[in-house]
């Protein structure tokens, strides 16, 4: 599958970001109602709580994405540092 990143400005709480992600997964599920089934898994990392750099937020959102996929796909997961596997940050530049 394809992976995309979305930035949601003016979202002031992680729970709101997760709710918006759930709205996106719902939109995918109803858009394929008459055709092939479409699914969407979303991982959410919230700045500055889950990181302050692009690299930190990207890795944490990716960890949350794979957590969502492990729980059955077609859902949204918020990054949880206590359950995430540690990964080193990539070198940028």
């Amino acid at each position: 599958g394809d992976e995309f990143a979305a930035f949601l400005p003016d979202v002031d709480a992680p729970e709101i970001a997760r709710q918006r992600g759930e709205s996106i997964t719902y939109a995918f599920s109803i858009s394929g109602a008459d055709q092939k089934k479409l699914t969407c898994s979303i991982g959410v990392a919230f700045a500055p709580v889950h990181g302050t750099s692009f690299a930190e937020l990207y890795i944490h959102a990716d960890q949350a994405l794979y957590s969502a996929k492990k729980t059955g796909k077609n859902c949204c997961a918020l990054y949880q540092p206590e359950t995430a596997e540690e990964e080193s940050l990539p070198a940028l530049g």
Side-chain angles (χ1 to χ4, degrees):
D2 295 325
E3 291 189 14
F4 302 91
F7 296 91
L8 303 174
D10 302 322
V11 174
D12 59 2
E15 185 60 24
I16 293 171
R18 189 188 59 75
Q19 289 171 353
R20 293 215 182 143
E22 288 178 351
S23 295
I24 294 169
T25 60
Y26 176 73
F28 268 82
S29 70
I30 63 170
S31 68
D34 295 335
Q35 300 170 7
K36 293 185 179 185
K37 183 178 179 183
L38 297 176
T39 63
C40 176
S41 299
I42 297 177
V44 174
F46 188 76
V49 177
H50 301 136
T52 55
S53 71
F54 172 81
E56 288 175 311
L57 293 167
Y58 180 84
I59 286 175
H60 293 159
D62 193 55
Q63 289 171 337
L65 169 64
Y66 282 93
S67 176
K69 288 180 178 185
K70 284 180 186 177
T71 61
K73 300 183 180 180
N74 204 38
C75 64
C76 179
L78 184 63
Y79 172 71
Q80 300 294 324
E82 61 275 2
T83 59
E85 295 179 21
E86 288 299 316
E87 292 185 32
S88 60
L89 296 176
L92 297 177

